[in-house]
Amino acid sequence: MIVAERKPFDEIKTALAGCRKVFILGCDTCVSVCMAGGKKEVGLLASQLRMSFKKDGKDIQIDEDTVERQCNREYMELVLSRLQDYDLVVSMACGAGVQLLADLSEPLQILPGVNTRFIGMTPQDGTWEERCRACGNCILGETGGICPVTVCAKGILNGPCGGTDHGKCEVDKDKDCAWTLIYHRLEKMGKLDNIRKDFPPRNHLVQCHPAKQVHEVYKGE
Amino acid sequence: MKPEIVIYCCANFSAVSEEDAEKIIPEDHAVLRISRLPCSGRTDVLYLLRSIEAGATMTMIVGCPEGQCQFVEGNLRARMRVRYANRLLAEAGLGEDRIQMVNIAPGDGIAFAAALRNVVARAREIGPL
Ligand code: SF4
Ligand code: SF4
């Protein structure tokens, strides 16, 4: 999933100066799971802002709602008509969700309420770790399910490098060497021969930006 | 002005009622609202912020002593949520002690009375939002 963290309160509050009516729109998918921009976090930010503006003696209306997925047109269409009267909409979705909101609600003012950080997983409650760089050519099947592109500090495909040190990485002694992890995982899988494989250089052509894909069924004749 | 205090009590404090609390704090000193939770660990940061936004001067969460939670770590989670909620209030410019967690053994009315008096005294100092 996409992992994000909420922007600092002061940054959001400052950006709202001069508004009379503000809408905070959450996304109940990825950013909800990473506790940055789901229904609850929208409620917390809205409550903080209402209290803070009240304390400053400012009369700014803050309303809130959360859609299932902000990166998906169908869900956004359910809420768009309600946004028209607002001076600004704070989107708590990842960058993709913010951009769909901006496209669909043009020329409404929008503000991202979170900083989008990475594609990650949840090793334990409340913790998220980056595990995929969306390289476009997944080799997890060869590397025991551990991504060297992401977990290795140098992203090398034919590791380990000469800096591996008793299972730790020379770039940061607190970090595990990705290729040592891969070695031990392959050993447990009975696929240690994979470590001898020579991976060709990564094909960066599959990673041109902005990437786009269309499902076959949706392509014209 | 009488401060309003919202008190979230763990179910083990089921004996504490608004009438009991009013015997400790006379009615004309504060408005006390008691809400019972199955465990202090059911405390949600959103409840805490919304009670202050809705007009409470302070919120008090009553949980069992650490190490004695029936659900093992409910009161420890409540403590972390209280810390986070106070941080969010501080960001909004409301100070960082409007929400207070107290750990009291069920049935210890003397400790409850002392904690409640402290919270009411602090609420009278800081005043509502
Ligand atoms: S808008 Fe972003 S956070 Fe929300 S579902 Fe889509 S990808 Fe996930
Ligand atoms: S190799 Fe790594 S970065 Fe590439 S798709 Fe697989 S997990 Fe993602």
mmCIF file of all heavy atoms in Angstrom, chain A residues 11-36:
data_model
loop_
_atom_site.group_PDB
_atom_site.id
_atom_site.type_symbol
_atom_site.label_atom_id
_atom_site.label_comp_id
_atom_site.label_asym_id
_atom_site.label_seq_id
_atom_site.Cartn_x
_atom_site.Cartn_y
_atom_site.Cartn_z
ATOM 1 N N GLU A 11 1.733 23.964 9.024
ATOM 2 C CA GLU A 11 1.805 24.129 7.570
ATOM 3 C C GLU A 11 0.386 24.154 6.975
ATOM 4 O O GLU A 11 0.069 24.973 6.110
ATOM 5 C CB GLU A 11 2.632 22.973 6.965
ATOM 6 C CG GLU A 11 2.843 23.091 5.471
ATOM 7 C CD GLU A 11 3.629 21.905 4.888
ATOM 8 O OE1 GLU A 11 4.422 21.277 5.613
ATOM 9 O OE2 GLU A 11 3.429 21.623 3.686
ATOM 10 N N ILE A 12 -0.462 23.237 7.473
ATOM 11 C CA ILE A 12 -1.844 23.177 6.962
ATOM 12 C C ILE A 12 -2.608 24.434 7.385
ATOM 13 O O ILE A 12 -3.241 25.101 6.567
ATOM 14 C CB ILE A 12 -2.555 21.900 7.471
ATOM 15 C CG1 ILE A 12 -1.828 20.658 6.953
ATOM 16 C CG2 ILE A 12 -4.013 21.889 7.049
ATOM 17 C CD1 ILE A 12 -2.351 19.335 7.488
ATOM 18 N N LYS A 13 -2.478 24.774 8.661
ATOM 19 C CA LYS A 13 -3.243 25.921 9.175
ATOM 20 C C LYS A 13 -2.861 27.210 8.441
ATOM 21 O O LYS A 13 -3.733 27.999 8.049
ATOM 22 C CB LYS A 13 -2.992 26.064 10.687
ATOM 23 C CG LYS A 13 -3.915 27.082 11.329
ATOM 24 C CD LYS A 13 -3.655 27.246 12.811
ATOM 25 C CE LYS A 13 -4.402 28.456 13.335
ATOM 26 N NZ LYS A 13 -3.931 28.889 14.645
ATOM 27 N N THR A 14 -1.566 27.408 8.226
ATOM 28 C CA THR A 14 -1.104 28.628 7.545
ATOM 29 C C THR A 14 -1.688 28.716 6.136
ATOM 30 O O THR A 14 -2.080 29.789 5.677
ATOM 31 C CB THR A 14 0.448 28.629 7.466
ATOM 32 O OG1 THR A 14 0.941 28.422 8.781
ATOM 33 C CG2 THR A 14 0.981 29.934 6.923
ATOM 34 N N ALA A 15 -1.763 27.548 5.473
ATOM 35 C CA ALA A 15 -2.262 27.554 4.091
ATOM 36 C C ALA A 15 -3.754 27.882 4.019
ATOM 37 O O ALA A 15 -4.273 28.191 2.949
ATOM 38 C CB ALA A 15 -1.991 26.191 3.446
ATOM 39 N N LEU A 16 -4.443 27.803 5.149
ATOM 40 C CA LEU A 16 -5.890 28.060 5.132
ATOM 41 C C LEU A 16 -6.231 29.523 5.425
ATOM 42 O O LEU A 16 -7.405 29.904 5.396
ATOM 43 C CB LEU A 16 -6.608 27.158 6.154
ATOM 44 C CG LEU A 16 -6.394 25.652 5.978
ATOM 45 C CD1 LEU A 16 -7.275 24.871 6.937
ATOM 46 C CD2 LEU A 16 -6.693 25.221 4.551
ATOM 47 N N ALA A 17 -5.189 30.323 5.710
ATOM 48 C CA ALA A 17 -5.439 31.735 6.026
ATOM 49 C C ALA A 17 -6.189 32.376 4.857
ATOM 50 O O ALA A 17 -5.862 32.142 3.699
ATOM 51 C CB ALA A 17 -4.107 32.449 6.248
ATOM 52 N N GLY A 18 -7.208 33.125 5.168
ATOM 53 C CA GLY A 18 -7.951 33.817 4.111
ATOM 54 C C GLY A 18 -9.163 33.018 3.619
ATOM 55 O O GLY A 18 -9.969 33.536 2.856
ATOM 56 N N CYS A 19 -9.289 31.755 4.053
ATOM 57 C CA CYS A 19 -10.462 30.958 3.639
ATOM 58 C C CYS A 19 -11.613 31.188 4.615
ATOM 59 O O CYS A 19 -11.395 31.474 5.792
ATOM 60 C CB CYS A 19 -10.140 29.465 3.645
ATOM 61 S SG CYS A 19 -8.892 29.009 2.455
ATOM 62 N N ARG A 20 -12.832 31.028 4.122
ATOM 63 C CA ARG A 20 -13.999 31.100 5.014
ATOM 64 C C ARG A 20 -14.606 29.699 5.198
ATOM 65 O O ARG A 20 -15.142 29.360 6.226
ATOM 66 C CB ARG A 20 -15.081 32.021 4.438
ATOM 67 C CG ARG A 20 -14.756 33.504 4.457
ATOM 68 C CD ARG A 20 -15.752 34.258 3.596
ATOM 69 N NE ARG A 20 -15.753 33.738 2.230
ATOM 70 C CZ ARG A 20 -16.738 32.993 1.676
ATOM 71 N NH1 ARG A 20 -17.819 32.711 2.354
ATOM 72 N NH2 ARG A 20 -16.637 32.548 0.444
ATOM 73 N N LYS A 21 -14.534 28.897 4.146
ATOM 74 C CA LYS A 21 -15.118 27.540 4.201
ATOM 75 C C LYS A 21 -14.110 26.544 3.652
ATOM 76 O O LYS A 21 -13.656 26.684 2.510
ATOM 77 C CB LYS A 21 -16.375 27.480 3.323
ATOM 78 C CG LYS A 21 -17.616 28.012 3.977
ATOM 79 C CD LYS A 21 -18.802 27.883 3.031
ATOM 80 C CE LYS A 21 -19.425 26.497 3.092
ATOM 81 N NZ LYS A 21 -20.642 26.385 2.273
ATOM 82 N N VAL A 22 -13.787 25.565 4.450
ATOM 83 C CA VAL A 22 -12.774 24.580 4.038
ATOM 84 C C VAL A 22 -13.365 23.180 4.185
ATOM 85 O O VAL A 22 -14.081 22.897 5.148
ATOM 86 C CB VAL A 22 -11.509 24.717 4.926
ATOM 87 C CG1 VAL A 22 -10.527 23.589 4.659
ATOM 88 C CG2 VAL A 22 -10.843 26.076 4.714
ATOM 89 N N PHE A 23 -13.091 22.319 3.233
ATOM 90 C CA PHE A 23 -13.549 20.924 3.297
ATOM 91 C C PHE A 23 -12.332 20.023 3.425
ATOM 92 O O PHE A 23 -11.349 20.203 2.707
ATOM 93 C CB PHE A 23 -14.321 20.568 2.018
ATOM 94 C CG PHE A 23 -15.198 19.366 2.180
ATOM 95 C CD1 PHE A 23 -16.544 19.494 2.516
ATOM 96 C CD2 PHE A 23 -14.689 18.081 2.011
ATOM 97 C CE1 PHE A 23 -17.359 18.374 2.673
ATOM 98 C CE2 PHE A 23 -15.496 16.958 2.170
ATOM 99 C CZ PHE A 23 -16.838 17.107 2.497
ATOM 100 N N ILE A 24 -12.398 19.077 4.345
ATOM 101 C CA ILE A 24 -11.288 18.117 4.469
ATOM 102 C C ILE A 24 -11.795 16.778 3.941
ATOM 103 O O ILE A 24 -12.800 16.251 4.441
ATOM 104 C CB ILE A 24 -10.816 17.992 5.929
ATOM 105 C CG1 ILE A 24 -10.450 19.376 6.471
ATOM 106 C CG2 ILE A 24 -9.624 17.047 6.026
ATOM 107 C CD1 ILE A 24 -9.996 19.364 7.901
ATOM 108 N N LEU A 25 -11.119 16.255 2.932
ATOM 109 C CA LEU A 25 -11.574 15.022 2.286
ATOM 110 C C LEU A 25 -10.565 13.898 2.508
ATOM 111 O O LEU A 25 -9.413 13.989 2.089
ATOM 112 C CB LEU A 25 -11.759 15.278 0.777
ATOM 113 C CG LEU A 25 -12.364 14.124 -0.014
ATOM 114 C CD1 LEU A 25 -13.790 13.816 0.433
ATOM 115 C CD2 LEU A 25 -12.365 14.436 -1.505
ATOM 116 N N GLY A 26 -11.008 12.850 3.200
ATOM 117 C CA GLY A 26 -10.119 11.726 3.494
ATOM 118 C C GLY A 26 -10.242 10.619 2.458
ATOM 119 O O GLY A 26 -11.118 10.641 1.595
ATOM 120 N N CYS A 27 -9.351 9.657 2.548
ATOM 121 C CA CYS A 27 -9.380 8.474 1.693
ATOM 122 C C CYS A 27 -9.310 7.258 2.623
ATOM 123 O O CYS A 27 -8.399 7.169 3.452
ATOM 124 C CB CYS A 27 -8.187 8.479 0.737
ATOM 125 S SG CYS A 27 -8.081 6.947 -0.205
ATOM 126 N N ASP A 28 -10.299 6.350 2.495
ATOM 127 C CA ASP A 28 -10.376 5.250 3.467
ATOM 128 C C ASP A 28 -9.629 3.992 3.022
ATOM 129 O O ASP A 28 -9.936 2.912 3.487
ATOM 130 C CB ASP A 28 -11.846 4.931 3.784
ATOM 131 C CG ASP A 28 -12.128 5.140 5.268
ATOM 132 O OD1 ASP A 28 -11.165 5.306 6.046
ATOM 133 O OD2 ASP A 28 -13.302 5.145 5.661
ATOM 134 N N THR A 29 -8.662 4.131 2.121
ATOM 135 C CA THR A 29 -7.912 2.936 1.712
ATOM 136 C C THR A 29 -6.483 3.024 2.267
ATOM 137 O O THR A 29 -6.307 3.006 3.476
ATOM 138 C CB THR A 29 -8.015 2.732 0.191
ATOM 139 O OG1 THR A 29 -9.417 2.748 -0.146
ATOM 140 C CG2 THR A 29 -7.470 1.398 -0.235
ATOM 141 N N CYS A 30 -5.472 3.180 1.433
ATOM 142 C CA CYS A 30 -4.076 3.097 1.934
ATOM 143 C C CYS A 30 -3.801 4.049 3.108
ATOM 144 O O CYS A 30 -3.282 3.651 4.147
ATOM 145 C CB CYS A 30 -3.072 3.410 0.842
ATOM 146 S SG CYS A 30 -3.402 2.670 -0.740
ATOM 147 N N VAL A 31 -4.130 5.326 2.917
ATOM 148 C CA VAL A 31 -3.762 6.317 3.944
ATOM 149 C C VAL A 31 -4.557 6.148 5.230
ATOM 150 O O VAL A 31 -4.191 6.704 6.273
ATOM 151 C CB VAL A 31 -3.901 7.764 3.420
ATOM 152 C CG1 VAL A 31 -2.833 8.069 2.406
ATOM 153 C CG2 VAL A 31 -5.287 8.021 2.856
ATOM 154 N N SER A 32 -5.642 5.375 5.161
ATOM 155 C CA SER A 32 -6.384 5.073 6.381
ATOM 156 C C SER A 32 -5.621 4.007 7.169
ATOM 157 O O SER A 32 -5.454 4.097 8.385
ATOM 158 C CB SER A 32 -7.779 4.574 5.992
ATOM 159 O OG SER A 32 -8.430 4.064 7.098
ATOM 160 N N VAL A 33 -5.111 2.997 6.421
ATOM 161 C CA VAL A 33 -4.386 1.904 7.073
ATOM 162 C C VAL A 33 -3.098 2.428 7.725
ATOM 163 O O VAL A 33 -2.717 1.983 8.807
ATOM 164 C CB VAL A 33 -4.074 0.789 6.052
ATOM 165 C CG1 VAL A 33 -3.294 -0.338 6.693
ATOM 166 C CG2 VAL A 33 -5.358 0.256 5.448
ATOM 167 N N CYS A 34 -2.451 3.410 7.089
ATOM 168 C CA CYS A 34 -1.213 3.914 7.706
ATOM 169 C C CYS A 34 -1.510 5.116 8.620
ATOM 170 O O CYS A 34 -0.597 5.862 8.995
ATOM 171 C CB CYS A 34 -0.146 4.243 6.662
ATOM 172 S SG CYS A 34 -0.584 5.583 5.572
ATOM 173 N N MET A 35 -2.755 5.267 8.998
ATOM 174 C CA MET A 35 -3.175 6.236 10.028
ATOM 175 C C MET A 35 -2.741 7.670 9.710
ATOM 176 O O MET A 35 -2.296 8.407 10.581
ATOM 177 C CB MET A 35 -2.640 5.804 11.401
ATOM 178 C CG MET A 35 -3.192 4.463 11.840
ATOM 179 S SD MET A 35 -2.264 3.694 13.158
ATOM 180 C CE MET A 35 -2.952 4.506 14.576
ATOM 181 N N ALA A 36 -2.870 8.042 8.411
ATOM 182 C CA ALA A 36 -2.483 9.400 8.030
ATOM 183 C C ALA A 36 -3.660 10.203 7.484
ATOM 184 O O ALA A 36 -3.784 11.389 7.793
ATOM 185 C CB ALA A 36 -1.368 9.346 6.984
#
